[in-house]
Amino acid sequence: MTGPSTGVTRSLTVPLPPARGWARVRRWAVETPFIQVLVLIVLVAVLVALIPAFATRPQAAVSILVLASLLALAAMGQTLVVILGGMDLAVAGYILFGAMIASNATSRLGWPTWIALLVTVVVCGGIGALVGAACHWLRIQPLVLTLGVGAVLAGGSMFLVNGDYNGQPPEDLRALAQLTGTTFGLPIPPIILIVVLLGVVLWLFLSRTATGRRLYATGVNPRAAALTRVNTAAIWAGVFALSGVLAGIAGMFIAAFGSGWAQGTGDPYLFSGLAAVLVGGTTFGSVRGSFTRTALGALILTVVATIITSRGLAEAQSRIVYGIIILAVVALYGRERHVRDRF
């Protein structure tokens, strides 16, 4: 006779039968970015139908790729934080700080570009590391702490320049982000190649290194990861530090693309960056999260924004569309993650 405990043990140890039919198709669609690719193809077709110039003018396609690259770079660090199971609301502050440094480095401080980059990396990375360590050791919700840190960064950036936004990014930095830039003689702005290379490095880190596997393990189950001697404190500090660094660098390129900065430079990238991560299919503590998905999400949102602009919709209507997209994606991926990854 089999007791209740034996039945529970068997349910936990015996592999589930392979999915068939619709369940198999749904599992495959969730585990791969197939849905995102399909949605992107449909949206591009709609965009070309509405604005035929996008099919005949290569510069129009390049502009979408540049905007998507900036969004993907701003969301790159957020991807790691979401994989960890948190959320970094200080991204807008990091972006504003990076934009401020880039705009004032040469024109006012006399710094070369590499000094401005180094200052941005050290400041944003140091603050991010402190945030990650504090959230881990003090058990503070990242949502709360990063929101306050972002506000401090934004206020501090404006205080340092006394509210003067007249600085201009250096010419060599602007050449990397302008639509008219070239890469090895090709009419492709260097920012696109930079983001692609960073994406490849991040992919290799997540999929081919032990640290990347520890990051996934910490996000899925931090207690189990700690019991297997994963230094979860170092993972948290490192991930939030990297989020700050990447967002700060994104701010420098955003300022170079727009030839300057303003008080609200980083604000649009907070919501749209998180939306790109979620639309790409990376959910909180997900074992399937990756920057490839975030890049697809950034492309989808950029095409959607272009369609919305072409139809003359207001900013409020754009946010409604983004919210509906996020709700649809969470409805698709949310339950799958809880059932499979955390059980």
Side-chain angles (χ1 to χ4, degrees), residues 16 39 265 300 333:
L16 294 174
V39 169
T265 295
I300 289 173
Y333 288 94

Side-chain angles (χ1 to χ4, degrees), residues 61-80:
V62 169
S63 65
I64 288 182
L65 290 176
V66 170
L67 292 173
S69 296
L70 293 173
L71 177 56
L73 181 58
M76 189 177 290
Q78 187 76 271
T79 302
L80 298 177

Side-chain angles (χ1 to χ4, degrees), residues 100-112 166-170 261:
M100 182 272 293
I101 291 295
S103 299
N104 291 276
T106 301
S107 59
R108 297 189 177 186
L109 301 175
W111 294 349
N166 292 323
Q168 291 293 323
W261 70 297

Side-chain angles (χ1 to χ4, degrees), residues 9 31 74 121 125 132 137 142 154 159 195 211 232 234 240-241 248 291 294-295 300 316 319-320 334 341:
T9 302
E31 293 179 350
V121 168
W137 288 112
F159 173 78
V195 173
T211 304
T232 55
F240 277 87
F291 178 68
T294 299
I300 289 173
R319 290 183 177 271
I320 292 174
D341 299 342

Side-chain angles (χ1 to χ4, degrees), residues 183-226:
T183 304
F184 304 120
L186 300 175
I188 301 175
I191 182 61
I192 298 176
L193 180 61
I194 292 172
V195 173
V196 169
L197 292 177
L198 287 175
V200 171
V201 172
L202 187 59
W203 173 76
L204 291 174
F205 166 73
L206 290 173
S207 62
R208 294 292 186 270
T209 66
T211 304
R213 291 189 291 271
R214 295 187 185 105
L215 169 57
Y216 281 118
T218 303
V220 170
N221 194 323
R223 291 187 62 187

